[in-house]
Amino acid sequence: MVPFAGWTLPLHYGQGHLQSHLHTRRHCSLFDVSHMLQTLVYGRDRIRFMESLVVGDIAELKPGQGTLTLLTNEKGGITDDLIVINTSEDHLYVVSNAACADKDLAILRDRAAQLQATGSDIHLEVSDNALLALQGPSMARVLQAGLSDDLAKLSFMNSISTTVFGVPGCRVTRCGYTGEDGVEISVPAARAVELAEQLLGVADVWLAGLAARDSLRLEAGLCLYGNDIDETVTPAEAGLMWTLGKRRRAAMDFPGAAVIMAQVKEKPRRRRVGLTSGCGMGGAGQLPLTSPYPHVPGTVTSGCPSPCLGKNIAMGYVEAAHSRAGTELTVEVRKKQHPAVITKMPFVPTQYYMAK
């Protein structure tokens, strides 16, 4: 057990990190991600409210559809990455990172108060539900046994409110942080253990902790807030411009729009890239990327050995001039220089499910 964003969370369970990671890729694993902040946004002006804070086109989301989006600041930096679902009910469902929960909630509440003062209809509720993530190729078979809804009709980034293994009032969203087909289940806290035990009663399902969550997301090329993205990094630098809808780009009505769109036009000076190396690139802090250039062209922001690939992988930021795949750099680890190569991401192909 380790401290994480004010919570105590499991780093790994009895099987160990390597076996847990590989089991998720081959079968499926259950992650307790109840540390994430879940917020419900009600009111007739909820979409306008959300679009005043994030870069995504929330208005275009169909009922039950969601998107990954970015909460930005006036300098164009990323305050957090969020999932926003336009539910089939009467509200937006927003999931924020645990490490950003306090600042996100303050931003949401401050903005709601500003709009309420001008007559807008906005109401926020913080959900006390638990959140369970079931991830891996056998997820659909395992979960379908406890659902009356047809999972084959639920595409990636879509969501339904339903009963799961006899537990009513659950929200099932087809998404996750592993690159595999998976769901996140928002479940009433009083029945979370009951649901978890039902899922773990299937031999295919193992518990997985933070270590596997980190290595799985890195293989999938997904950012970790605080490491790979933060308030000093823009969507253009992070390679996340796909989160900006066409309408939002044209309107430029989100925080930091002038800075972000100027970078799109002029090209950012640095870019997020993937890296492979014979040397481990993990550990605390950023590692400098050096040579053969006369200055430091970038830094590693997160890295680990890849259980699936059998080599070390990482992501980081380099000057745009040195960001092409195949570029050879040197990473400094414990005062020693090791060769590294810029590599396309994801390192392991993603398996997100798109309904036919």
Side-chain angles (χ1 to χ4, degrees):
M1 303 294 285
V2 295
F4 183 86
W7 299 72
T8 301
L9 297 176
L11 190 63
H12 56 79
Y13 292 88
Q15 299 90 353
H17 166 229
L18 177 62
Q19 291 304 315
S20 180
H21 178 112
L22 294 175
H23 184 87
T24 308
R25 290 273 184 249
R26 296 166 181 166
H27 304 283
C28 70
S29 297
L30 183 66
F31 300 79
D32 182 357
V33 290
S34 302
H35 53 292
M36 307 284 276
L37 173 67
Q38 300 175 72
T39 308
L40 310 179
V41 184
Y42 293 89
R44 65 177 178 273
D45 298 309
R46 59 187 179 274
I47 290 176
R48 181 166 66 90
F49 160 76
M50 188 57 59
E51 287 194 347
S52 72
L53 297 171
V54 303
V55 302
D57 193 338
I58 309 305
E60 76 169 0
L61 296 176
K62 298 174 183 177
Q65 187 179 23
T67 187
L68 176 73
T69 191
L70 305 173
L71 190 65
T72 49
N73 60 31
E74 293 300 333
K75 295 181 179 180
I78 301 171
T79 302
D80 197 9
D81 55 321
L82 315 171
I83 288 178
V84 178
I85 306 290
N86 180 24
T87 72
S88 298
E89 294 75 34
D90 58 349
H91 63 278
L92 301 176
Y93 169 65
V94 182
V95 181
S96 313
N97 285 302
C100 302
D102 290 343
K103 70 173 181 179
D104 285 8
L105 196 54
I107 290 169
L108 291 170
R109 285 173 170 166
D110 286 350
R111 184 59 176 150
Q114 291 171 11
L115 291 178
Q116 287 164 351
T118 62
S120 294
D121 181 24
I122 306 288
H123 174 62
L124 303 180
E125 287 186 14
V126 175
S127 172
D128 62 358
N129 276 12
L131 193 62
L132 302 176
L134 188 65
Q135 301 282 303
S138 60
M139 176 282 297
R141 177 181 58 79
V142 171
L143 190 62
Q144 188 62 75
L147 286 182
S148 57
D149 301 87
D150 185 1
L151 270 178
K153 296 179 180 178
L154 189 69
S155 286
F156 179 64
M157 291 308 303
N158 280 261
S159 182
I160 54 172
S161 181
T162 188
T163 296
V164 183
F165 284 99
V167 179
C170 294
R171 174 159 297 283
V172 175
T173 304
R174 202 152 197 167
C175 66
Y177 197 45
T178 64
E180 295 295 330
D181 184 19
V183 294
E184 291 185 355
I185 308 169
S186 179
V187 51
R191 302 192 69 177
V193 172
E194 174 190 340
L195 179 56
E197 288 177 342
Q198 290 263 24
L199 294 169
L200 291 167
V202 181
D204 243 16
V205 183
W206 288 7
L207 281 166
L210 285 179
R213 187 169 165 82
D214 190 52
S215 56
L216 287 160
R217 68 90 191 171
L218 192 49
E219 285 186 344
L222 301 174
C223 296
L224 173 63
Y225 192 88
N227 283 49
D228 311 305
I229 50 175
D230 58 31
E231 294 187 6
T232 70
V233 176
T234 69
E237 294 170 332
L240 295 173
M241 287 301 295
W242 58 268
T243 62
L244 275 74
K246 184 177 180 180
R247 176 178 62 84
R248 303 304 309 280
R249 293 183 190 220
M252 292 183 63
D253 56 354
F254 51 87
V259 175
I260 295 167
M261 296 313 296
Q263 283 189 345
V264 172
K265 183 178 180 180
E266 299 161 10
K267 307 301 181 186
R269 286 180 289 182
R270 60 174 179 167
R271 296 182 185 276
R272 180 172 64 95
V273 297
L275 297 150
T276 55
S277 174
C279 174
M281 296 178 282
Q286 296 188 344
L287 302 174
L289 290 163
T290 59
S291 173
Y293 310 105
H295 61 289
V296 178
T299 54
V300 173
T301 52
S302 60
C304 71
S306 165
C308 290
L309 302 178
K311 56 186 174 183
N312 296 290
I313 60 173
M315 67 174 71
Y317 287 84
V318 299
E319 292 178 352
H322 307 308
S323 63
R324 187 183 299 275
T327 300
E328 296 181 356
L329 299 172
T330 301
V331 61
E332 183 179 312
V333 182
R334 291 180 287 277
K335 298 184 178 180
K336 292 185 178 181
Q337 306 296 320
H338 301 272
V341 179
I342 294 180
T343 308
K344 290 183 178 180
M345 294 185 288
F347 300 100
V348 173
T350 54
Q351 304 295 332
Y352 304 129
Y353 175 78
M354 300 299 176
K356 296 179 181 179

